[in-house]
Amino acid sequence: MSNSIVDLHYELALASRMLANEGVLDAFGHVSLRHPADSGRYLLPRARSPQLVEPADVLEFTLDSEPVRPTAEKLFAERVIHGCIYAARSDVMAVCHHHAAAVLPFCIAGVAIVPVFHLGAAVGEDIPFWDQRDEFGDTNLLVVKPEEGRSLARALAAQAAVLMSHHGATVVGKDVRELVSRAIFMCQNAQYQLQARLLGNVVPLSSGEARLAGSINGMPNVVGRTWEYWTMRLADAGRLPQRPPRGVRARNSARSRHASATSAASRRRKRPGGG
Amino acid sequence: MSNSIVDLHYELALASRMLANEGVLDAFGHVSLRHPADSGRYLLPRARSPQLVEPADVLEFTLDSEPVRPTAEKLFAERVIHGCIYAARSDVMAVCHHHAAAVLPFCIAGVAIVPVFHLGAAVGEDIPFWDQRDEFGDTNLLVVKPEEGRSLARALAAQAAVLMSHHGATVVGKDVRELVSRAIFMCQNAQYQLQARLLGNVVPLSSGEARLAGSINGMPNVVGRTWEYWTMRLADAGRLPQRPPRGVRARNSARSRHASATSAASRRRKRPGGG
Amino acid sequence: MSNSIVDLHYELALASRMLANEGVLDAFGHVSLRHPADSGRYLLPRARSPQLVEPADVLEFTLDSEPVRPTAEKLFAERVIHGCIYAARSDVMAVCHHHAAAVLPFCIAGVAIVPVFHLGAAVGEDIPFWDQRDEFGDTNLLVVKPEEGRSLARALAAQAAVLMSHHGATVVGKDVRELVSRAIFMCQNAQYQLQARLLGNVVPLSSGEARLAGSINGMPNVVGRTWEYWTMRLADAGRLPQRPPRGVRARNSARSRHASATSAASRRRKRPGGG
Amino acid sequence: MSNSIVDLHYELALASRMLANEGVLDAFGHVSLRHPADSGRYLLPRARSPQLVEPADVLEFTLDSEPVRPTAEKLFAERVIHGCIYAARSDVMAVCHHHAAAVLPFCIAGVAIVPVFHLGAAVGEDIPFWDQRDEFGDTNLLVVKPEEGRSLARALAAQAAVLMSHHGATVVGKDVRELVSRAIFMCQNAQYQLQARLLGNVVPLSSGEARLAGSINGMPNVVGRTWEYWTMRLADAGRLPQRPPRGVRARNSARSRHASATSAASRRRKRPGGG
């Protein structure tokens, strides 16, 4: 396995745990990355709660969501969500499916999530609402058949996220950091939208504001800041994934990127009196 | 005491603490298991907050809720809940009575909890509502007399859970894992239902969806995942029960089942910088 | 200082921290105990956030709320609350004044807190509502003058608690454990009442139920359980007060009462893998 | 660098982390202090999440929000908020811009935050509401241009805080402790106001009460208590900033001011059984 793939496995475990630590994922939900060297494959962990995912849990799948190498591991029943979206959206490099507490009330009441603060614009003005029942009648609501996955991908269309009736949401990104920030800001947006509704009228951003604010989460002085912050919080929770052993060549990639947060955490543990 | 009973005592302490750690139980509430070798007995801890229960706290009761062996320990006043349900429901192997914050608003407002997301279907479409006042007039609301316990068991009928007016809920399962997942998902369902109501109309699952989704929590690749996750969270909180000393024969049961979560926790403590 | 007073100082620090750890107190609020040997005095810490109170912070006051011994320490501006209630209510041995988040919405909206679940009956059916403005016009809302304290005590009358408009609440008890359980259950009751209102109609306990359920929190198999539980949570938070040095004679009092929770906490810290 | 400036860098890092630990700041938001010796300069960290700010991250800016010394560090895009307010308000020595979850529903619904409890009066009776769209049309909602900063400062006028439509709030103070207490109490006030609205009618403090209660947060026996409490909570979270090395002369300033909370934290870590 090349060092860049070793790094990606770590990145995927890190993103899974980060999203769990921020309340987007819980016992359920999963994150995948498209294979950087083969756009016909994607990386997804074996079926395991995201806060427990280690780099060694990551497996490779075809876009038909079949494991590339035979495996005895338990697999996520809903992995077609990932395969079908990667097949339909060449711009998407990262996918997260989740049941976050913040979005579920909207999935149940059938109310649209609209951008209500600047960072909420990260998922765009229009988050489609997909009801599996429309096309498939009564199901157990899991997206397990290829046609269910394709239907969801069609509903997602060119958007950043899709709500799933009585189930949760699926979010996409052009890389893992865009995905993580979109998933987190969408949950915050949902929470604020619900509470604003309790106060009175919910006034969303204008179309112009939503468009302009939509790229704040990708600004260089923002993306580094949020990644360091979420990594620090995961380190404080004692939940950073394990580093796999790796060659010398990759020294300057993922490891150094997290260096400041990691050393903050170890510093924290060393200080006896906080000083 | 046989090794399998030693394991069950541990399992009961673990489930009690897990449900407390997930917010279902607090200072109050209790979990019991039917005796696997004698269907006329059940296992219940002495009166103690569930997050403090140790395997050594577990006592054995007849279905009349009398201790099998004389004891000087304080006992739960409401243990007839367990005895009467085991007497009425031969399919039930595990019972939990609780006052979870998520369900109490429903117990107070007299509003039914209905399945509003796929995992919420774990407790079925119909959760009966039992008001002690209907049959017994003014009481202190504790279920302490055998006739009160029998009345509650009649209200539960063949369902998975029953709401208790101004008091809490009682949940049952065919084993401890089904019980734990039902209790947790029912609380999540209640929380989402309340918030969906704040957004507008609450649309429950269709009957067909509820029936199909009702067994997701028992799917092999789900039950292992949730158990590992809730165990990990309990280990992170430093609240796993103590292992009782035990023979060699039982090596492959409970201990190995929790091995991955336990070793994750100890690994976490060993890593200095999270790496 | 006698050993029993040493124990009381510890008990007061413990109760202060426990109530802070359970969300009743925050940076503000204070707990006092009547002097067991002199009903004309009470014990109250110097002005300090309750989660930081140590036994050595406890001072002695007359019922005029003057320190018995001259002191250079900063004192709570609102200590007349305690003095005036002890003067008016010979049955009261413990007082807590707080600004808990759970009760403040009721203090602001002017809505009565009524018992909505069995444990909520611990503060009785009738919690009076006191508005300082009625008698004193515009003030800074702090209860600092003796006449303000007396007015509050008159409003409290023979009840277990009083709401204070735009300010908080004051709770009393016949001993520290009754006080602590009343304060905690009143907050839970307020939280459930608010959420039940969001679901629809709030149906309180009947008068008979409230009367019968009102003493559950004093049942022997309840009071030991809650005290052990709240102590355990405080120990888990690393916030138990420091034990003052003490004589041999008092060995069997406070120290042994908390022994199980304390040893659970130290056990927790020793276990490497939770086992 | 003089010892007093070294102390200020520490104070700024401490305030940033404290406000993050209390839920006012998250990945975003920033705190600044006016330079004590040069009213035409202010101190602000490089662009970094507030819970990670170290004293060494603090930079010096002119009131045009240009760095006094050339730097390669990433800078906050919105630092004009600070410069423009210091330019307009000679009484202001500390500024905090944030997106706290408690205020966002008000920023979205366009509902005014009014003082509803005594401590909420710390930000006065009138918190202006500023909508960037009124003057600048569609923007990404970030306050980055000098004219945007000046417009915000005009909206703030002589008040203690200003709400920013769909964005957050900016709070000011005459020193760092007033700023911190205002920011925290304003968030608590917002939370209680929203929940009081769910109960019924929100009755604010009278003008006289608001004026009188407005200075409670500056009372000597209050300001020391809150600062010790918030420091203790930050120490418990393991998040105190690092002390920079400093000369002997400054021994009695910041270090000794936090001594009690710090030693409580180290004591806590040393106690095995909490006793």
Side-chain angles (χ1 to χ4, degrees):
Chain A
M1 211 160 37
S2 76
N3 278 335
S4 70
I5 291 297
V6 168
D7 282 349
L8 265 188
H9 288 199
Y10 181 81
E11 198 93 334
L12 182 48
L14 183 66
S16 298
R17 288 164 174 252
M18 205 178 252
L19 286 169
N21 197 50
E22 299 301 324
V24 177
L25 304 171
D26 48 20
F28 300 101
H30 18 91
V31 181
S32 70
L33 299 177
R34 194 193 289 267
H35 195 294
D38 180 350
S39 65
R41 296 185 178 181
Y42 67 89
L43 306 170
L44 180 77
R46 65 181 175 97
R48 197 176 194 192
S49 288
Q51 206 146 16
L52 283 152
V53 167
E54 297 290 359
D57 293 322
V58 177
L59 303 171
E60 218 169 284
F61 296 87
T62 65
L63 298 196
D64 291 333
S65 296
E66 292 304 320
V68 168
R69 279 167 288 276
T71 176
E73 298 290 356
K74 288 198 174 61
L75 305 179
F76 288 119
E78 297 192 298
R79 60 192 186 277
V80 295
I81 293 175
H82 303 269
C84 292
I85 289 176
Y86 288 122
R89 286 277 298 270
S90 61
D91 61 315
V92 166
M93 298 301 282
V95 174
C96 172
H97 168 60
H98 68 77
H99 313 155
V103 306
L104 264 154
F106 292 84
C107 300
I108 293 162
V111 169
I113 295 178
V114 294
V116 292
F117 82 126
H118 60 315
L119 296 164
V123 275
E125 262 204 290
D126 178 21
I127 300 175
F129 196 98
W130 180 73
D131 191 342
Q132 191 159 340
R133 203 193 295 177
D134 291 343
E135 203 169 329
F136 303 97
D138 283 345
T139 64
N140 68 0
L141 284 96
L142 298 183
V143 180
V144 289
K145 295 180 187 163
E147 56 268 33
E148 291 167 339
R150 284 192 296 264
S151 171
L152 178 68
R154 278 194 305 274
L156 171 66
Q159 305 301 328
V162 55
L163 283 188
M164 301 157 76
S165 184
H166 298 103
H167 181 164
T170 298
V171 187
V172 302
K174 69 172 195 289
D175 57 35
V176 70
R177 296 192 182 199
E178 183 177 76
L179 177 76
V180 166
S181 61
R182 280 178 166 176
I184 291 173
F185 296 147
M186 178 176 162
C187 286
Q188 291 180 354
N189 190 88
Q191 179 195 330
Y192 303 156
Q193 181 177 342
L194 186 148
Q195 293 183 335
R197 191 173 176 120
L198 299 180
L199 284 175
N201 202 25
V202 173
V203 183
L205 299 191
S206 74
S207 289
E209 286 174 334
R211 188 175 34 80
L212 291 164
S215 55
I216 292 175
N217 67 319
M219 285 167 57
N221 86 346
V222 167
V223 75
R225 203 187 325 167
T226 50
W227 201 255
E228 185 189 26
Y229 175 69
W230 294 321
T231 303
M232 175 272 298
R233 282 166 56 91
L234 188 61
D236 277 8
R239 283 267 133 226
L240 283 179
Q242 288 194 293
R243 284 262 167 226
R246 51 212 300 281
V248 173
R249 214 192 43 165
R251 269 270 168 93
N252 295 317
S253 61
R255 181 183 293 269
S256 64
R257 241 178 289 143
H258 307 305
S260 55
T262 303
S263 66
S266 72
R267 227 167 33 224
R268 179 171 73 85
R269 289 194 185 103
K270 267 176 284 175
R271 284 177 286 167
Chain B
M1 210 161 36
S2 76
N3 279 334
S4 71
I5 291 297
V6 169
D7 282 349
L8 265 188
H9 287 200
Y10 181 81
E11 198 92 334
L12 182 49
L14 182 66
S16 298
R17 289 163 173 253
M18 206 178 252
L19 285 168
N21 198 50
E22 299 301 324
V24 177
L25 304 171
D26 47 20
F28 300 101
H30 17 91
V31 181
S32 70
L33 298 177
R34 193 194 288 268
H35 195 293
D38 180 351
S39 65
R41 296 185 178 180
Y42 66 92
L43 306 171
L44 180 77
R46 64 182 175 97
R48 197 175 195 194
S49 289
Q51 205 145 17
L52 284 152
V53 167
E54 297 290 359
D57 293 323
V58 177
L59 302 171
E60 218 169 284
F61 295 87
T62 65
L63 296 196
D64 292 331
S65 297
E66 292 304 319
V68 168
R69 279 166 289 275
T71 175
E73 298 292 355
K74 289 198 173 62
L75 305 178
F76 288 119
E78 296 192 298
R79 61 193 185 277
V80 295
I81 293 175
H82 303 268
C84 292
I85 289 176
Y86 289 122
R89 287 276 298 269
S90 61
D91 60 316
V92 167
M93 297 301 282
V95 173
C96 171
H97 168 60
H98 69 78
H99 314 156
V103 306
L104 264 155
F106 292 84
C107 300
I108 292 161
V111 169
I113 295 178
V114 293
V116 291
F117 82 125
H118 60 315
L119 297 163
V123 274
E125 262 203 291
D126 179 21
I127 299 176
F129 196 98
W130 180 73
D131 191 341
Q132 191 159 339
R133 203 193 294 178
D134 291 344
E135 202 169 331
F136 303 97
D138 284 344
T139 64
N140 67 1
L141 283 98
L142 298 183
V143 180
V144 289
K145 295 181 187 163
E147 56 269 32
E148 291 167 339
R150 284 192 294 265
S151 171
L152 178 68
R154 277 195 305 275
L156 171 65
Q159 305 302 329
V162 56
L163 283 187
M164 301 156 77
S165 185
H166 298 103
H167 181 165
T170 298
V171 186
V172 302
K174 69 172 194 289
D175 57 35
V176 70
R177 296 192 182 197
E178 182 176 77
L179 176 76
V180 166
S181 62
R182 279 177 166 177
I184 291 173
F185 296 147
M186 178 177 162
C187 285
Q188 291 180 354
N189 190 88
Q191 178 195 330
Y192 302 157
Q193 182 177 341
L194 186 149
Q195 293 182 335
R197 191 173 177 120
L198 299 180
L199 283 176
N201 202 26
V202 173
V203 182
L205 299 192
S206 73
S207 289
E209 286 173 335
R211 187 174 35 79
L212 291 164
S215 54
I216 291 175
N217 67 320
M219 285 166 56
N221 86 346
V222 168
V223 76
R225 202 185 328 164
T226 51
W227 201 256
E228 185 189 27
Y229 174 69
W230 293 321
T231 304
M232 176 271 298
R233 282 166 57 91
L234 188 61
D236 277 7
R239 282 268 133 225
L240 283 180
Q242 289 194 292
R243 285 262 167 224
R246 52 213 300 282
V248 174
R249 214 192 43 165
R251 270 270 168 93
N252 295 318
S253 62
R255 181 184 293 269
S256 63
R257 241 178 290 143
H258 307 305
S260 55
T262 303
S263 66
S266 72
R267 227 169 30 225
R268 180 172 71 87
R269 287 193 187 104
K270 267 176 283 174
R271 283 178 288 167
Chain C
M1 211 161 33
S2 75
N3 278 334
S4 70
I5 291 296
V6 168
D7 283 348
L8 265 188
H9 288 201
Y10 181 81
E11 198 92 334
L12 182 49
L14 182 66
S16 299
R17 288 163 173 253
M18 205 178 251
L19 286 168
N21 198 51
E22 299 301 325
V24 176
L25 304 171
D26 48 20
F28 300 101
H30 18 91
V31 181
S32 71
L33 299 177
R34 194 192 288 270
H35 195 293
D38 180 351
S39 66
R41 296 185 178 182
Y42 67 91
L43 307 170
L44 179 76
R46 66 181 175 95
R48 197 175 195 194
S49 288
Q51 205 145 18
L52 284 151
V53 167
E54 296 290 359
D57 293 322
V58 178
L59 303 171
E60 219 168 285
F61 296 87
T62 64
L63 297 196
D64 292 331
S65 296
E66 291 305 319
V68 169
R69 279 166 290 273
T71 176
E73 299 290 356
K74 289 199 172 62
L75 305 178
F76 288 119
E78 297 192 298
R79 61 192 185 276
V80 295
I81 293 175
H82 303 270
C84 293
I85 289 176
Y86 289 121
R89 286 277 298 270
S90 61
D91 60 317
V92 167
M93 298 301 283
V95 174
C96 171
H97 168 59
H98 69 77
H99 313 156
V103 306
L104 265 155
F106 292 84
C107 301
I108 292 161
V111 169
I113 295 178
V114 294
V116 292
F117 81 125
H118 60 314
L119 296 164
V123 274
E125 262 204 292
D126 179 20
I127 299 175
F129 196 99
W130 180 72
D131 190 343
Q132 191 159 339
R133 203 192 296 178
D134 291 344
E135 202 169 331
F136 303 97
D138 283 344
T139 64
N140 68 359
L141 284 98
L142 297 183
V143 180
V144 289
K145 297 182 186 162
E147 56 269 32
E148 291 167 338
R150 285 191 295 265
S151 171
L152 178 68
R154 278 195 304 275
L156 171 65
Q159 304 302 327
V162 56
L163 283 188
M164 302 157 75
S165 185
H166 299 102
H167 181 164
T170 298
V171 186
V172 302
K174 69 172 194 290
D175 57 35
V176 69
R177 297 192 181 199
E178 183 177 76
L179 177 75
V180 166
S181 62
R182 279 178 166 176
I184 292 172
F185 296 147
M186 178 177 162
C187 286
Q188 291 180 354
N189 191 88
Q191 178 195 332
Y192 302 156
Q193 182 177 341
L194 186 149
Q195 293 182 334
R197 189 174 178 121
L198 299 181
L199 283 175
N201 202 26
V202 173
V203 183
L205 299 192
S206 74
S207 291
E209 285 173 335
R211 187 174 35 78
L212 291 165
S215 55
I216 291 175
N217 67 319
M219 285 166 57
N221 85 345
V222 167
V223 76
R225 202 185 328 163
T226 50
W227 201 256
E228 184 190 29
Y229 174 69
W230 293 320
T231 304
M232 175 272 297
R233 281 166 57 92
L234 189 60
D236 277 7
R239 282 268 135 225
L240 283 179
Q242 288 194 292
R243 285 259 168 227
R246 50 212 301 281
V248 173
R249 213 194 44 167
R251 270 270 168 90
N252 295 317
S253 62
R255 182 184 292 268
S256 65
R257 240 178 290 142
H258 307 305
S260 55
T262 304
S263 66
S266 72
R267 226 169 32 226
R268 178 171 72 86
R269 287 191 189 105
K270 267 176 284 173
R271 283 178 288 169
Chain D
M1 212 161 34
S2 76
N3 279 335
S4 71
I5 292 297
V6 168
D7 282 348
L8 265 188
H9 287 200
Y10 181 81
E11 198 93 335
L12 182 49
L14 183 66
S16 298
R17 287 163 174 253
M18 205 178 251
L19 286 169
N21 198 50
E22 298 301 325
V24 177
L25 304 172
D26 47 21
F28 300 101
H30 18 91
V31 181
S32 71
L33 299 176
R34 194 194 288 268
H35 194 294
D38 180 350
S39 65
R41 295 184 179 184
Y42 67 91
L43 307 170
L44 180 76
R46 66 181 174 97
R48 198 176 194 192
S49 288
Q51 205 146 17
L52 284 152
V53 166
E54 296 290 359
D57 293 323
V58 177
L59 302 171
E60 218 169 284
F61 295 87
T62 65
L63 297 196
D64 291 331
S65 296
E66 292 304 321
V68 169
R69 279 168 289 275
T71 176
E73 299 291 355
K74 288 199 173 62
L75 305 178
F76 287 119
E78 297 192 299
R79 60 193 186 277
V80 295
I81 293 175
H82 302 269
C84 292
I85 289 176
Y86 288 122
R89 286 277 297 270
S90 61
D91 60 316
V92 167
M93 297 301 282
V95 174
C96 171
H97 168 60
H98 68 78
H99 313 155
V103 307
L104 264 155
F106 293 83
C107 301
I108 292 161
V111 169
I113 295 178
V114 294
V116 292
F117 81 125
H118 60 315
L119 297 163
V123 275
E125 262 204 290
D126 179 21
I127 299 175
F129 196 98
W130 180 73
D131 191 342
Q132 191 158 340
R133 202 192 296 177
D134 291 343
E135 202 168 331
F136 303 98
D138 283 345
T139 65
N140 68 0
L141 284 97
L142 298 183
V143 180
V144 289
K145 295 182 186 161
E147 55 269 32
E148 292 167 338
R150 284 192 295 264
S151 171
L152 178 68
R154 278 195 304 274
L156 172 66
Q159 305 302 328
V162 56
L163 284 188
M164 302 156 75
S165 183
H166 298 103
H167 181 163
T170 298
V171 186
V172 302
K174 68 172 194 290
D175 58 34
V176 69
R177 296 192 182 200
E178 183 176 75
L179 176 75
V180 167
S181 62
R182 279 177 167 179
I184 291 173
F185 296 147
M186 178 178 163
C187 285
Q188 290 180 354
N189 190 88
Q191 178 195 331
Y192 302 157
Q193 182 177 342
L194 186 149
Q195 293 183 333
R197 189 172 177 121
L198 299 181
L199 284 175
N201 201 25
V202 173
V203 183
L205 299 192
S206 73
S207 290
E209 286 173 335
R211 188 174 35 79
L212 291 164
S215 55
I216 291 175
N217 67 320
M219 285 167 57
N221 85 346
V222 167
V223 74
R225 202 187 325 165
T226 50
W227 201 254
E228 185 189 27
Y229 174 69
W230 293 320
T231 304
M232 174 272 297
R233 282 166 56 91
L234 189 60
D236 277 9
R239 282 267 135 226
L240 284 179
Q242 287 194 295
R243 285 260 168 227
R246 50 212 300 283
V248 173
R249 212 193 46 166
R251 269 272 167 91
N252 295 317
S253 62
R255 182 183 292 269
S256 64
R257 239 179 291 143
H258 306 305
S260 56
T262 305
S263 65
S266 72
R267 226 168 33 225
R268 178 171 73 85
R269 289 194 185 101
K270 267 176 285 174
R271 284 179 286 171

